Amino acid sequence: MRQAYYNGFIYTGKEILKHLAVLMDGYEVLDIVPESAIPEGFQRIDVQGNHIAPGLIDLQIYGGNGQLFSLYPDVSTILATEQYCKAGGALYFQPTIATNEPGLMQKALEAYRQYRDRGGKAAIGVHWEGPFINPQKRGAHVEKYIRPLQKDEAKQLTEHQDALRTLTLAPECCDAACVEILLQAGIRVSAGHSAASYEQARQAFTKTGIRLTTHLFNAMSPLQTRDPGLVGAIFEDPAVYASIIADGIHVHPANIRISKAIMGNRLFLITDAVEESKNEPYIYLRQKDRYVNQEGVLAGSTLTMLKAVAYCVQQVGIALDEALRMASWYPAKAMGMDQQAGLLQPGYHSGLIVFDDNFELLYRSV
């Protein structure tokens, strides 16, 4: 049934509107009209003064509802993660698999194809975080599975561009020609888990063409007095996007605020959320508001995308409309989806969420 959402603050992604209604058909935005002009045949949903926004987009999440993609890369895990994402306001997401043995990482791609072939639309493709990363910046990744990217494997990966949407790698550990093969095939390469020097990072951005970076500040070479590192190169390059984990644990709120002031619409939110696991190779133990591995290394968050938006508003001091863009339009732009998602605009398939002043989800597109 087509629905009309009215009597709320409408955050289109470009402006804030009142006294209007958003007309939806599933995920499709049909129109935004005066409340008095809601057509017949629409289910009228009075949101009672709450907030209406585009569906959020999570480009890095490892699982949800008790399932972990790095251990069980199958359709059931994608579906469980989808339900977790939607309950937290994210209507599109990238199931993410951490550095693993080759067969399991390939299985993740097959699982996505099966999900898609069965009609799944919320998952937009798989994010491989690794295995082509720097062991010095592995974080909670399993070292024995880390390996360099060879040219033959890069060519083989181009055959999976329908499923492999994003690949995080350390540019200093990969030949530029291999990275270019991936980029030319339409796979989005993201620099992360990297100890790249400033010069190496600049080369990767300006010469090789990398335009994405993974969880700013975490597992990357920092900004220092005599080496700006990967962080400095990200700040400086106006074409490079960066994700960030806004939970107060992964990154200090002042660093989020400083980064936002420098990067503007190039900074977007992810959850980096995992699930508790007692099984090798990825043992994740929950400690209140975070997950750690068996060695106590920070391994993931307990975030939802709506919680990340709330943190940015309440703790970082970012305006609500801008925090929502960081969770919708900006990740859409980073993925080349900004002509179809991330905005409440007629013709977009962004979906819609409604939440209250406490950032509790009230309604979402189905």
Side-chain angles (χ1 to χ4, degrees):
M1 177 180 288
R2 295 185 296 178
Q3 297 172 320
Y5 296 83
Y6 70 99
N7 188 24
F9 296 91
I10 302 169
Y11 298 82
T12 69
K14 292 187 175 180
E15 55 188 339
I16 305 172
L17 305 174
K18 293 189 293 184
H19 310 301
L20 297 173
V22 184
L23 307 183
M24 300 291 297
D25 186 358
Y27 271 36
E28 184 180 1
V29 183
L30 299 177
D31 206 351
I32 300 178
V33 301
E35 292 177 346
S36 60
I38 296 173
E40 292 185 7
F42 279 77
Q43 178 187 8
R44 298 168 66 99
I45 299 177
D46 182 352
V47 306
Q48 300 180 356
N50 288 300
H51 309 283
I52 303 170
L56 310 182
I57 302 170
D58 189 358
L59 299 182
Q60 188 163 334
I61 181 167
Y62 297 90
N65 290 346
Q67 300 294 316
L68 187 66
F69 203 49
S70 296
L71 290 181
Y72 306 109
D74 53 33
V75 174
S76 64
T77 300
I78 296 177
L79 290 171
T81 307
E82 177 178 329
Q83 292 308 308
Y84 177 89
C85 286
K86 288 181 175 180
L91 303 188
Y92 290 107
F93 72 104
Q94 271 191 143
T96 303
I97 185 168
T99 297
N100 221 312
E101 61 95 5
L104 206 68
M105 299 195 79
Q106 288 290 334
K107 189 177 178 182
L109 303 179
E110 292 304 318
Y112 171 74
R113 291 188 179 103
Q114 293 172 24
Y115 163 88
R116 181 192 61 201
D117 293 346
R118 295 179 189 180
K121 296 180 179 179
I124 63 170
V126 173
H127 181 172
W128 273 18
E129 193 186 29
F132 316 114
I133 60 175
N134 192 319
Q136 297 175 29
K137 294 291 184 179
R138 66 184 182 277
H141 286 238
V142 177
E143 186 170 11
K144 68 180 179 181
Y145 295 128
I146 297 172
R147 64 184 193 274
L149 176 62
Q150 305 293 342
K151 194 170 186 178
D152 287 347
E153 186 169 10
K155 291 179 179 178
Q156 291 171 3
L157 287 176
T158 65
E159 300 172 6
H160 300 285
Q161 54 81 28
D162 66 308
L164 180 58
R165 190 73 179 263
T166 303
L167 196 159
T168 291
L169 53 73
E172 75 278 13
C173 298
C174 300
D175 188 274
C178 295
V179 177
E180 289 170 357
I181 289 170
L182 300 174
L183 291 170
Q184 289 168 7
I187 297 169
R188 276 177 156 70
V189 176
S190 187
H193 287 272
S194 166
S197 67
Y198 167 78
E199 289 76 17
Q200 289 172 322
R202 286 287 293 162
Q203 178 80 12
F205 297 157
T206 61
K207 302 296 183 182
T208 308
I210 292 175
R211 293 290 180 264
L212 277 178
T213 53
T214 297
H215 46 52
L216 183 65
F217 295 110
N218 297 118
M220 64 172 58
S221 47
L223 175 65
Q224 300 183 89
T225 53
R226 286 178 291 278
D227 184 0
L230 180 52
V231 172
I234 292 167
F235 282 168
E236 186 178 44
D237 196 311
V240 173
Y241 287 84
S243 63
I244 198 161
I245 309 166
D247 63 352
I249 299 156
H250 284 78
V251 183
H252 192 284
N255 277 336
I256 300 175
R257 189 161 49 248
I258 292 165
S259 301
K260 180 63 180 164
I262 294 170
M263 297 184 65
N265 64 8
R266 297 186 291 122
L267 187 68
F268 64 90
L269 299 172
I270 55 171
T271 64
D272 197 57
V274 302
E275 278 289 334
E276 192 161 38
S277 166
K278 301 294 178 64
N279 297 323
E280 295 280 2
Y282 282 101
I283 296 175
Y284 294 143
L285 307 173
R286 182 160 184 165
Q287 291 187 350
K288 294 183 180 179
D289 51 3
R290 71 199 72 184
Y291 287 93
V292 298
N293 67 9
Q294 65 268 45
E295 298 169 351
V297 176
L298 184 62
S301 87
T302 63
L303 282 174
T304 65
M305 285 300 287
L306 203 48
K307 286 180 180 178
V309 170
Y311 184 85
C312 285
V313 173
Q314 297 169 345
Q315 304 300 324
V316 183
I318 297 173
L320 175 56
D321 60 331
E322 182 64 10
L324 287 167
R325 281 188 282 267
M326 292 172 69
S328 54
W329 195 23
Y330 301 161
K333 288 167 68 71
M335 296 302 293
M337 297 170 54
D338 53 310
Q339 297 302 307
Q340 65 191 76
L343 297 175
L344 288 179
Q345 185 167 301
Y348 273 57
H349 287 76
S350 57
L352 173 150
I353 62 171
V354 179
F355 60 95
D356 63 19
D357 289 340
N358 296 316
F359 295 91
E360 293 294 329
L361 188 70
L362 303 176
Y363 302 98
R364 61 172 173 82
S365 297
V366 294

